[in-house]
Every structure is written in structure tokens, then in C-alpha cells.
Amino acid sequence: MTRALLLSFSPHGKAAHGFKLGRALLRDLLPQAEVTERDYGGQALPPLTREYADALTTPGGLNGDATAVSEQLIVELEACDLLILCTPVHNFTVPAALKAWIDHVVRIHRSFTVSPQFEKVGLLHDRRTFVLVSSGNARKGHEPDFLTPYLTTVLATIGIRSVDFAYLPAMVRGEAAVNHSLEQAHQQLSAAISTGL
Ligand SMILES: Cc1cc2nc3c(=O)[nH]c(=O)nc-3n(C[C@H](O)[C@H](O)[C@H](O)COP(=O)(O)O)c2cc1C
């Protein structure tokens, strides 16, 4: 049975269009899946503490309460074999809510290590991952996209390389534009999820 983790990083939480699309796809295409939903946009994760920063940057300092939230998020991630991240674009890149998740999950000696050649090497198993990206602008050509390359690099750093992006552009341009974006993304994701799992 598929274990899916569906995460929202939108201030609209579970009411975000991207999240609702992800939920509908899981319901329709993988009705047997065990789905865990989290709203890390509407209910933000705690900020990094000084203890957490010190734990990550001090040799042997990785145990204890300082890493409790990080550990919980990594365990939650490890438990899924299908990951769906639903995120808006904020100022050309990931929103602060998603950056907070990244800073908790990308943890040295836990989700990645560093080789003798100073390369970061992922320690998590790869898993099928979809990133649903909502934006106000049309995606291509109108403005720089720092989200896609950044998130691709971050996920690869912890070992997640089977990543597909689906874009919901023009989401501030009225109902017709929103519906068009949702239909396009639905088509793309239906095909990918049906064939890939
Ligand atoms: C703080 C903020 C910054 C934004 N920056 C961008 C941006 O750089 N590019 C863009 O296309 N849309 C931008 N938007 C628009 C959102 O990406 C768009 O409204 C999106 O559909 C929101 O998705 P959500 O409902 O899942 O949060 C921004 C919105 C906010 C609130």
C-alpha cells in the first residue's frame, strides 16, 4: 500500500488550490493509499533555535531536545513512499514556511553527510516526489525561477531525486485562468501518478 505524505506550505494551508488538487488526485488515483496531511504553511513550523544551530555545527552535538522537531519531520518523511509538496512562489523562490521545513529536514549526519571530497551525500531513500507550484505570474519567461533549481538541489542533497514539478501559473488572474491551470496540472499529474506508482 502506498504511504503518501501531502504537505502544504501555503498561507492558505489546506484551502490552497495546489493542496486541494493533490488531495483530489490521491483520492481518485490511489484510493487505497494511506495519506498523511500536514499544513506547514497556515500553521508554521517553529523557527530554528540557537540550540539547534549549535547542535548542527558542533561535532557530536546532535542529540537531545535541540533536534526533536527536526527528527519528527525526518521520521515523517522517511515513512512515506510518495511525497507531494504543495507550495506557492514567494518572491521568485520558496516561501519562508518551506524554507523552515528544509532547514529542519536537511540535517548533517542524519539526512545527509559530507564526503571526503566535501560533497553532500543524501542519506534518505529516494522516493517518488511531486512538487505542485502555484504562482501569480505565468511561469516561463516572465520572471526568474529560483524555486525549481533550488528545491531540486535541496531534495537531491538528502537523496530524493525522483522529483516531478507541476506548475499552476497565473493563479491571480481570475477564475478562468485558475481553472485552466488546475486542469493542465491535473492532466500532467494524473498521467504521471498513474504510470509511475
Ligand atoms: C509574499 C508573496 C510573494 C509572492 N511572490 C510571487 C512571485 O515572486 N512570483 C509569482 O509569480 N507570484 C508571487 N506571488 C503570488 C503567489 O505565488 C500566488 O498568489 C499563488 O497562487 C499563491 O498560492 P497559494 O494559494 O497556494 O498560497 C506572491 C504572493 C505572496 C503572498
Side-chain angles (χ1 to χ4, degrees):
M1 184 177 49
T2 302
R3 290 163 305 166
L5 180 60
L6 178 62
L7 304 181
S8 175
F9 296 101
S10 164
H12 301 110
K14 295 184 181 182
H17 287 295
F19 185 86
K20 289 196 285 189
L21 175 60
R23 180 191 269 164
L25 285 162
L26 288 173
R27 183 196 59 218
D28 296 344
L29 300 175
L30 298 170
Q32 309 298 329
E34 185 183 294
V35 182
T36 300
E37 295 183 354
R38 298 282 186 251
D39 170 14
Y40 294 138
Q43 298 162 354
L45 290 163
L48 304 186
T49 61
R50 177 179 185 164
E51 290 72 25
Y52 181 71
D54 288 346
L56 262 61
T57 51
T58 307
L62 280 173
N63 296 316
D65 292 347
T67 54
V69 174
S70 164
E71 189 59 26
Q72 187 184 323
L73 294 174
I74 294 171
V75 168
E76 182 174 89
L77 177 54
E78 284 178 314
C80 81
D81 39 41
L82 172 61
L83 174 64
I84 303 182
L85 307 178
C86 307
T87 181
V89 176
H90 280 178
N91 296 308
F92 313 111
T93 187
V94 297
L98 177 48
K99 181 61 166 55
W101 182 82
I102 289 167
D103 289 339
H104 283 293
V105 162
V106 182
R107 171 150 59 96
I108 191 161
H109 304 316
R110 178 62 175 88
S111 54
F112 78 95
T113 189
V114 179
S115 76
Q117 292 76 37
F118 303 104
E119 290 159 345
K120 293 179 176 175
V121 180
L123 296 176
L124 303 190
H125 293 302
D126 192 14
R127 68 209 68 220
R128 199 72 199 277
T129 295
F130 295 96
V131 186
L132 279 59
V133 184
S134 298
S135 65
N137 219 330
R139 189 176 88 87
K140 289 215 181 291
H142 287 209
E143 64 179 38
D145 171 14
F146 296 106
L147 185 150
T148 307
Y150 172 66
L151 206 47
T152 302
T153 300
V154 162
L155 292 169
T157 297
I158 58 174
I160 299 178
R161 296 180 176 277
S162 301
V163 182
D164 285 315
F165 286 81
Y167 299 94
L168 290 83
M171 296 296 278
V172 296
R173 297 188 181 186
E175 199 180 330
V178 168
N179 287 337
H180 180 70
S181 284
L182 287 169
E183 276 162 30
Q184 298 281 307
H186 189 281
Q187 270 181 30
Q188 178 194 340
L189 290 165
S190 298
I193 292 175
S194 306
T195 54
L197 292 168

PDB file of all heavy atoms in Angstrom, residues 9-12 15-19 86-93 134-138 143 168 171-172, ligand 1:
ATOM      1  N   PHE A   9       2.578  24.283   2.037  1.00  0.00           N
ATOM      2  CA  PHE A   9       3.435  25.371   2.526  1.00  0.00           C
ATOM      3  C   PHE A   9       2.833  26.726   2.174  1.00  0.00           C
ATOM      4  O   PHE A   9       3.530  27.734   2.161  1.00  0.00           O
ATOM      5  CB  PHE A   9       4.847  25.223   1.941  1.00  0.00           C
ATOM      6  CG  PHE A   9       5.513  23.972   2.409  1.00  0.00           C
ATOM      7  CD1 PHE A   9       5.573  22.846   1.595  1.00  0.00           C
ATOM      8  CD2 PHE A   9       6.040  23.884   3.688  1.00  0.00           C
ATOM      9  CE1 PHE A   9       6.152  21.669   2.040  1.00  0.00           C
ATOM     10  CE2 PHE A   9       6.620  22.713   4.147  1.00  0.00           C
ATOM     11  CZ  PHE A   9       6.682  21.607   3.317  1.00  0.00           C
ATOM     12  N   SER A  10       1.533  26.715   1.898  1.00  0.00           N
ATOM     13  CA  SER A  10       0.837  27.952   1.550  1.00  0.00           C
ATOM     14  C   SER A  10       0.252  28.590   2.799  1.00  0.00           C
ATOM     15  O   SER A  10      -0.218  27.883   3.695  1.00  0.00           O
ATOM     16  CB  SER A  10      -0.312  27.620   0.586  1.00  0.00           C
ATOM     17  OG  SER A  10      -1.209  28.709   0.524  1.00  0.00           O
ATOM     18  N   PRO A  11       0.202  29.945   2.846  1.00  0.00           N
ATOM     19  CA  PRO A  11      -0.529  30.587   3.939  1.00  0.00           C
ATOM     20  C   PRO A  11      -2.003  30.195   3.937  1.00  0.00           C
ATOM     21  O   PRO A  11      -2.682  30.327   4.962  1.00  0.00           O
ATOM     22  CB  PRO A  11      -0.350  32.087   3.673  1.00  0.00           C
ATOM     23  CG  PRO A  11       0.493  32.233   2.475  1.00  0.00           C
ATOM     24  CD  PRO A  11       0.855  30.888   1.941  1.00  0.00           C
ATOM     25  N   HIS A  12      -2.492  29.702   2.805  1.00  0.00           N
ATOM     26  CA  HIS A  12      -3.890  29.234   2.753  1.00  0.00           C
ATOM     27  C   HIS A  12      -4.047  27.807   3.268  1.00  0.00           C
ATOM     28  O   HIS A  12      -5.148  27.272   3.289  1.00  0.00           O
ATOM     29  CB  HIS A  12      -4.410  29.332   1.311  1.00  0.00           C
ATOM     30  CG  HIS A  12      -4.347  30.713   0.759  1.00  0.00           C
ATOM     31  ND1 HIS A  12      -3.471  31.101  -0.227  1.00  0.00           N
ATOM     32  CD2 HIS A  12      -5.031  31.830   1.096  1.00  0.00           C
ATOM     33  CE1 HIS A  12      -3.623  32.386  -0.479  1.00  0.00           C
ATOM     34  NE2 HIS A  12      -4.566  32.854   0.307  1.00  0.00           N
ATOM     35  N   ALA A  15      -6.601  24.917   2.305  1.00  0.00           N
ATOM     36  CA  ALA A  15      -7.541  25.517   1.348  1.00  0.00           C
ATOM     37  C   ALA A  15      -6.838  25.958   0.068  1.00  0.00           C
ATOM     38  O   ALA A  15      -7.500  26.391  -0.878  1.00  0.00           O
ATOM     39  CB  ALA A  15      -8.239  26.714   1.989  1.00  0.00           C
ATOM     40  N   ALA A  16      -5.522  25.841   0.013  1.00  0.00           N
ATOM     41  CA  ALA A  16      -4.781  26.250  -1.191  1.00  0.00           C
ATOM     42  C   ALA A  16      -5.186  25.361  -2.369  1.00  0.00           C
ATOM     43  O   ALA A  16      -5.407  24.154  -2.204  1.00  0.00           O
ATOM     44  CB  ALA A  16      -3.282  26.145  -0.936  1.00  0.00           C
ATOM     45  N   HIS A  17      -5.247  25.966  -3.559  1.00  0.00           N
ATOM     46  CA  HIS A  17      -5.641  25.196  -4.745  1.00  0.00           C
ATOM     47  C   HIS A  17      -4.720  23.994  -4.968  1.00  0.00           C
ATOM     48  O   HIS A  17      -5.171  22.901  -5.317  1.00  0.00           O
ATOM     49  CB  HIS A  17      -5.613  26.088  -5.992  1.00  0.00           C
ATOM     50  CG  HIS A  17      -6.737  27.062  -6.059  1.00  0.00           C
ATOM     51  ND1 HIS A  17      -8.053  26.686  -6.183  1.00  0.00           N
ATOM     52  CD2 HIS A  17      -6.747  28.420  -6.018  1.00  0.00           C
ATOM     53  CE1 HIS A  17      -8.829  27.746  -6.224  1.00  0.00           C
ATOM     54  NE2 HIS A  17      -8.056  28.824  -6.114  1.00  0.00           N
ATOM     55  N   GLY A  18      -3.429  24.220  -4.804  1.00  0.00           N
ATOM     56  CA  GLY A  18      -2.465  23.138  -5.052  1.00  0.00           C
ATOM     57  C   GLY A  18      -2.688  21.965  -4.111  1.00  0.00           C
ATOM     58  O   GLY A  18      -2.643  20.796  -4.517  1.00  0.00           O
ATOM     59  N   PHE A  19      -2.915  22.285  -2.853  1.00  0.00           N
ATOM     60  CA  PHE A  19      -3.137  21.228  -1.864  1.00  0.00           C
ATOM     61  C   PHE A  19      -4.423  20.460  -2.182  1.00  0.00           C
ATOM     62  O   PHE A  19      -4.453  19.215  -2.127  1.00  0.00           O
ATOM     63  CB  PHE A  19      -3.228  21.835  -0.460  1.00  0.00           C
ATOM     64  CG  PHE A  19      -3.334  20.804   0.626  1.00  0.00           C
ATOM     65  CD1 PHE A  19      -2.197  20.233   1.175  1.00  0.00           C
ATOM     66  CD2 PHE A  19      -4.570  20.389   1.096  1.00  0.00           C
ATOM     67  CE1 PHE A  19      -2.286  19.269   2.166  1.00  0.00           C
ATOM     68  CE2 PHE A  19      -4.671  19.424   2.083  1.00  0.00           C
ATOM     69  CZ  PHE A  19      -3.533  18.873   2.623  1.00  0.00           C
ATOM     70  N   CYS A  86       3.173  20.983  -1.767  1.00  0.00           N
ATOM     71  CA  CYS A  86       2.338  21.991  -2.421  1.00  0.00           C
ATOM     72  C   CYS A  86       2.792  23.358  -1.932  1.00  0.00           C
ATOM     73  O   CYS A  86       2.691  23.658  -0.741  1.00  0.00           O
ATOM     74  CB  CYS A  86       0.864  21.781  -2.063  1.00  0.00           C
ATOM     75  SG  CYS A  86       0.294  20.097  -2.376  1.00  0.00           S
ATOM     76  N   THR A  87       3.296  24.157  -2.850  1.00  0.00           N
ATOM     77  CA  THR A  87       3.916  25.411  -2.416  1.00  0.00           C
ATOM     78  C   THR A  87       3.601  26.553  -3.371  1.00  0.00           C
ATOM     79  O   THR A  87       3.542  26.351  -4.592  1.00  0.00           O
ATOM     80  CB  THR A  87       5.451  25.248  -2.314  1.00  0.00           C
ATOM     81  OG1 THR A  87       6.020  26.494  -1.874  1.00  0.00           O
ATOM     82  CG2 THR A  87       6.088  24.853  -3.635  1.00  0.00           C
ATOM     83  N   PRO A  88       3.413  27.754  -2.824  1.00  0.00           N
ATOM     84  CA  PRO A  88       3.389  28.923  -3.705  1.00  0.00           C
ATOM     85  C   PRO A  88       4.806  29.387  -4.014  1.00  0.00           C
ATOM     86  O   PRO A  88       5.758  28.995  -3.323  1.00  0.00           O
ATOM     87  CB  PRO A  88       2.658  29.976  -2.857  1.00  0.00           C
ATOM     88  CG  PRO A  88       2.960  29.611  -1.440  1.00  0.00           C
ATOM     89  CD  PRO A  88       3.138  28.105  -1.417  1.00  0.00           C
ATOM     90  N   VAL A  89       4.932  30.223  -5.036  1.00  0.00           N
ATOM     91  CA  VAL A  89       6.155  31.005  -5.250  1.00  0.00           C
ATOM     92  C   VAL A  89       6.008  32.281  -4.431  1.00  0.00           C
ATOM     93  O   VAL A  89       4.992  32.960  -4.515  1.00  0.00           O
ATOM     94  CB  VAL A  89       6.317  31.403  -6.736  1.00  0.00           C
ATOM     95  CG1 VAL A  89       7.545  32.295  -6.908  1.00  0.00           C
ATOM     96  CG2 VAL A  89       6.400  30.187  -7.623  1.00  0.00           C
ATOM     97  N   HIS A  90       7.000  32.580  -3.611  1.00  0.00           N
ATOM     98  CA  HIS A  90       7.039  33.878  -2.928  1.00  0.00           C
ATOM     99  C   HIS A  90       8.337  34.569  -3.297  1.00  0.00           C
ATOM    100  O   HIS A  90       9.430  34.057  -3.008  1.00  0.00           O
ATOM    101  CB  HIS A  90       6.939  33.702  -1.400  1.00  0.00           C
ATOM    102  CG  HIS A  90       5.534  33.487  -0.909  1.00  0.00           C
ATOM    103  ND1 HIS A  90       5.215  33.266   0.412  1.00  0.00           N
ATOM    104  CD2 HIS A  90       4.342  33.482  -1.579  1.00  0.00           C
ATOM    105  CE1 HIS A  90       3.898  33.121   0.549  1.00  0.00           C
ATOM    106  NE2 HIS A  90       3.351  33.232  -0.646  1.00  0.00           N
ATOM    107  N   ASN A  91       8.197  35.687  -3.951  1.00  0.00           N
ATOM    108  CA  ASN A  91       9.380  36.477  -4.340  1.00  0.00           C
ATOM    109  C   ASN A  91      10.441  35.616  -5.031  1.00  0.00           C
ATOM    110  O   ASN A  91      11.583  35.527  -4.578  1.00  0.00           O
ATOM    111  CB  ASN A  91       9.916  37.254  -3.131  1.00  0.00           C
ATOM    112  CG  ASN A  91       8.889  38.276  -2.657  1.00  0.00           C
ATOM    113  OD1 ASN A  91       8.401  39.056  -3.460  1.00  0.00           O
ATOM    114  ND2 ASN A  91       8.515  38.227  -1.399  1.00  0.00           N
ATOM    115  N   PHE A  92       9.985  34.968  -6.071  1.00  0.00           N
ATOM    116  CA  PHE A  92      10.819  34.194  -7.016  1.00  0.00           C
ATOM    117  C   PHE A  92      11.304  32.847  -6.486  1.00  0.00           C
ATOM    118  O   PHE A  92      12.012  32.135  -7.188  1.00  0.00           O
ATOM    119  CB  PHE A  92      12.059  34.996  -7.481  1.00  0.00           C
ATOM    120  CG  PHE A  92      11.761  36.395  -7.904  1.00  0.00           C
ATOM    121  CD1 PHE A  92      12.203  37.470  -7.152  1.00  0.00           C
ATOM    122  CD2 PHE A  92      11.021  36.645  -9.057  1.00  0.00           C
ATOM    123  CE1 PHE A  92      11.917  38.772  -7.536  1.00  0.00           C
ATOM    124  CE2 PHE A  92      10.740  37.946  -9.446  1.00  0.00           C
ATOM    125  CZ  PHE A  92      11.183  39.006  -8.685  1.00  0.00           C
ATOM    126  N   THR A  93      10.965  32.509  -5.254  1.00  0.00           N
ATOM    127  CA  THR A  93      11.526  31.270  -4.702  1.00  0.00           C
ATOM    128  C   THR A  93      10.548  30.627  -3.712  1.00  0.00           C
ATOM    129  O   THR A  93       9.357  30.915  -3.739  1.00  0.00           O
ATOM    130  CB  THR A  93      12.915  31.563  -4.068  1.00  0.00           C
ATOM    131  OG1 THR A  93      13.514  30.327  -3.686  1.00  0.00           O
ATOM    132  CG2 THR A  93      12.821  32.492  -2.867  1.00  0.00           C
ATOM    133  N   SER A 134       2.326  26.886  -7.154  1.00  0.00           N
ATOM    134  CA  SER A 134       1.351  27.910  -7.545  1.00  0.00           C
ATOM    135  C   SER A 134       2.056  29.255  -7.662  1.00  0.00           C
ATOM    136  O   SER A 134       2.845  29.617  -6.793  1.00  0.00           O
ATOM    137  CB  SER A 134       0.258  28.059  -6.478  1.00  0.00           C
ATOM    138  OG  SER A 134      -0.456  26.867  -6.324  1.00  0.00           O
ATOM    139  N   SER A 135       1.724  29.981  -8.717  1.00  0.00           N
ATOM    140  CA  SER A 135       2.321  31.311  -8.847  1.00  0.00           C
ATOM    141  C   SER A 135       1.310  32.289  -9.422  1.00  0.00           C
ATOM    142  O   SER A 135       0.349  31.898 -10.093  1.00  0.00           O
ATOM    143  CB  SER A 135       3.564  31.264  -9.741  1.00  0.00           C
ATOM    144  OG  SER A 135       3.211  30.917 -11.052  1.00  0.00           O
ATOM    145  N   GLY A 136       1.560  33.571  -9.159  1.00  0.00           N
ATOM    146  CA  GLY A 136       0.698  34.608  -9.701  1.00  0.00           C
ATOM    147  C   GLY A 136       1.011  34.869 -11.155  1.00  0.00           C
ATOM    148  O   GLY A 136       0.120  35.074 -11.980  1.00  0.00           O
ATOM    149  N   ASN A 137       2.280  34.834 -11.455  1.00  0.00           N
ATOM    150  CA  ASN A 137       2.731  35.117 -12.805  1.00  0.00           C
ATOM    151  C   ASN A 137       2.615  33.873 -13.688  1.00  0.00           C
ATOM    152  O   ASN A 137       2.530  32.763 -13.188  1.00  0.00           O
ATOM    153  CB  ASN A 137       4.196  35.553 -12.753  1.00  0.00           C
ATOM    154  CG  ASN A 137       4.479  36.675 -13.733  1.00  0.00           C
ATOM    155  OD1 ASN A 137       3.835  36.756 -14.780  1.00  0.00           O
ATOM    156  ND2 ASN A 137       5.437  37.516 -13.397  1.00  0.00           N
ATOM    157  N   ALA A 138       2.650  34.096 -14.989  1.00  0.00           N
ATOM    158  CA  ALA A 138       2.840  32.975 -15.893  1.00  0.00           C
ATOM    159  C   ALA A 138       4.249  32.466 -15.643  1.00  0.00           C
ATOM    160  O   ALA A 138       5.142  33.247 -15.320  1.00  0.00           O
ATOM    161  CB  ALA A 138       2.688  33.439 -17.332  1.00  0.00           C
ATOM    162  N   GLU A 143       9.601  35.984 -15.387  1.00  0.00           N
ATOM    163  CA  GLU A 143      10.456  36.350 -14.259  1.00  0.00           C
ATOM    164  C   GLU A 143      11.368  35.179 -13.929  1.00  0.00           C
ATOM    165  O   GLU A 143      11.089  34.040 -14.323  1.00  0.00           O
ATOM    166  CB  GLU A 143       9.616  36.745 -13.033  1.00  0.00           C
ATOM    167  CG  GLU A 143       8.766  35.617 -12.475  1.00  0.00           C
ATOM    168  CD  GLU A 143       7.978  36.037 -11.245  1.00  0.00           C
ATOM    169  OE1 GLU A 143       7.489  37.174 -11.190  1.00  0.00           O
ATOM    170  OE2 GLU A 143       7.866  35.213 -10.316  1.00  0.00           O
ATOM    171  N   LEU A 168       1.205  25.566 -11.483  1.00  0.00           N
ATOM    172  CA  LEU A 168      -0.107  26.206 -11.580  1.00  0.00           C
ATOM    173  C   LEU A 168       0.142  27.708 -11.705  1.00  0.00           C
ATOM    174  O   LEU A 168       0.173  28.429 -10.696  1.00  0.00           O
ATOM    175  CB  LEU A 168      -0.938  25.912 -10.325  1.00  0.00           C
ATOM    176  CG  LEU A 168      -1.435  24.480 -10.129  1.00  0.00           C
ATOM    177  CD1 LEU A 168      -0.370  23.606  -9.503  1.00  0.00           C
ATOM    178  CD2 LEU A 168      -2.673  24.465  -9.245  1.00  0.00           C
ATOM    179  N   MET A 171      -2.293  32.233 -11.147  1.00  0.00           N
ATOM    180  CA  MET A 171      -3.350  31.941 -10.174  1.00  0.00           C
ATOM    181  C   MET A 171      -3.991  33.203  -9.585  1.00  0.00           C
ATOM    182  O   MET A 171      -4.913  33.112  -8.776  1.00  0.00           O
ATOM    183  CB  MET A 171      -2.797  31.068  -9.046  1.00  0.00           C
ATOM    184  CG  MET A 171      -2.328  29.693  -9.510  1.00  0.00           C
ATOM    185  SD  MET A 171      -3.655  28.668 -10.178  1.00  0.00           S
ATOM    186  CE  MET A 171      -4.365  28.010  -8.681  1.00  0.00           C
ATOM    187  N   VAL A 172      -3.501  34.374  -9.991  1.00  0.00           N
ATOM    188  CA  VAL A 172      -4.132  35.621  -9.524  1.00  0.00           C
ATOM    189  C   VAL A 172      -4.884  36.313 -10.664  1.00  0.00           C
ATOM    190  O   VAL A 172      -5.289  37.453 -10.533  1.00  0.00           O
ATOM    191  CB  VAL A 172      -3.073  36.594  -8.931  1.00  0.00           C
ATOM    192  CG1 VAL A 172      -2.421  35.990  -7.698  1.00  0.00           C
ATOM    193  CG2 VAL A 172      -2.018  36.966  -9.963  1.00  0.00           C
TER     194      VAL A 172
HETATM  195  C1  LIG B   1       4.510  37.354  -0.321  1.00  0.00           C
HETATM  196  C2  LIG B   1       4.124  36.912  -1.706  1.00  0.00           C
HETATM  197  C3  LIG B   1       5.073  36.902  -2.693  1.00  0.00           C
HETATM  198  C4  LIG B   1       4.742  36.464  -3.977  1.00  0.00           C
HETATM  199  N1  LIG B   1       5.700  36.427  -4.922  1.00  0.00           N
HETATM  200  C5  LIG B   1       5.406  35.956  -6.153  1.00  0.00           C
HETATM  201  C6  LIG B   1       6.408  35.850  -7.146  1.00  0.00           C
HETATM  202  O1  LIG B   1       7.567  36.184  -6.943  1.00  0.00           O
HETATM  203  N2  LIG B   1       6.055  35.356  -8.349  1.00  0.00           N
HETATM  204  C7  LIG B   1       4.782  34.968  -8.633  1.00  0.00           C
HETATM  205  O2  LIG B   1       4.529  34.527  -9.751  1.00  0.00           O
HETATM  206  N3  LIG B   1       3.801  35.047  -7.708  1.00  0.00           N
HETATM  207  C8  LIG B   1       4.090  35.516  -6.478  1.00  0.00           C
HETATM  208  N4  LIG B   1       3.109  35.585  -5.521  1.00  0.00           N
HETATM  209  C9  LIG B   1       1.755  35.126  -5.864  1.00  0.00           C
HETATM  210  C10 LIG B   1       1.512  33.694  -5.386  1.00  0.00           C
HETATM  211  O3  LIG B   1       2.548  32.810  -5.791  1.00  0.00           O
HETATM  212  C11 LIG B   1       0.182  33.196  -5.932  1.00  0.00           C
HETATM  213  O4  LIG B   1      -0.854  34.010  -5.434  1.00  0.00           O
HETATM  214  C12 LIG B   1      -0.073  31.739  -5.621  1.00  0.00           C
HETATM  215  O5  LIG B   1      -1.151  31.284  -6.396  1.00  0.00           O
HETATM  216  C13 LIG B   1      -0.386  31.521  -4.156  1.00  0.00           C
HETATM  217  O6  LIG B   1      -0.597  30.139  -3.945  1.00  0.00           O
HETATM  218  P1  LIG B   1      -1.273  29.598  -2.610  1.00  0.00           P
HETATM  219  O7  LIG B   1      -2.738  29.947  -2.674  1.00  0.00           O
HETATM  220  O8  LIG B   1      -1.020  28.131  -2.673  1.00  0.00           O
HETATM  221  O9  LIG B   1      -0.593  30.286  -1.464  1.00  0.00           O
HETATM  222  C14 LIG B   1       3.418  36.041  -4.256  1.00  0.00           C
HETATM  223  C15 LIG B   1       2.455  36.058  -3.238  1.00  0.00           C
HETATM  224  C16 LIG B   1       2.807  36.483  -1.983  1.00  0.00           C
HETATM  225  C17 LIG B   1       1.753  36.485  -0.902  1.00  0.00           C
END
